[in-house]
């Protein structure tokens, strides 16, 4: 709710955009509750891509940290 207030966006759409699940499922839910499907879709894709890019970096950093200790 705090992020939605800061960004001045719909909190329901924001929750749908960053909820785990498939893009198609979240888009269908957005349509059914009358929210902006494009907003949900774009942010959902961003979330997935960010996870794919950041996960290897995070694993590498944590692996190096464990080796040192």
């Amino acid at each position: 709710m705090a992020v939605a207030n800061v960004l001045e966006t719909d909190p329901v759409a924001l929750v749908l955009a960053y909820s785990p699940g498939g893009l198609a499922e979240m888009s269908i839910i957005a349509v059914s509750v009358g929210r902006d499907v494009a907003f949900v879709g774009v942010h959902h894709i961003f979330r997935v891509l960010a996870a794919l890019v950041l996960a290897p970096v995070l694993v590498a950093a944590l692996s190096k940290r464990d080796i040192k200790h």
Side-chain angles (χ1 to χ4, degrees), residues 1-8 11 14:
M1 293 300 288
V3 173
N5 286 335
V6 169
L7 296 177
E8 297 178 357
L14 199 59

Side-chain angles (χ1 to χ4, degrees), residues 5-30:
N5 286 335
V6 169
L7 296 177
E8 297 178 357
T9 189
D10 180 18
V12 175
L14 199 59
V15 167
L16 284 173
Y18 289 96
S19 294
L23 176 60
E25 291 82 3
M26 293 302 125
S27 298
I28 290 170
I29 294 171

Side-chain angles (χ1 to χ4, degrees), residues 29-65:
I29 294 171
V31 168
S32 69
V33 295
R35 302 299 188 220
D36 186 6
V37 179
F39 177 86
V40 171
V42 168
H43 284 84
H44 189 79
I45 291 169
F46 172 76
R47 178 185 68 84
V48 171
L49 290 177
L52 289 173
V53 169
L54 294 176
V57 174
L58 186 60
V59 168
L62 291 174
S63 296
K64 288 179 184 178
R65 183 174 163 230

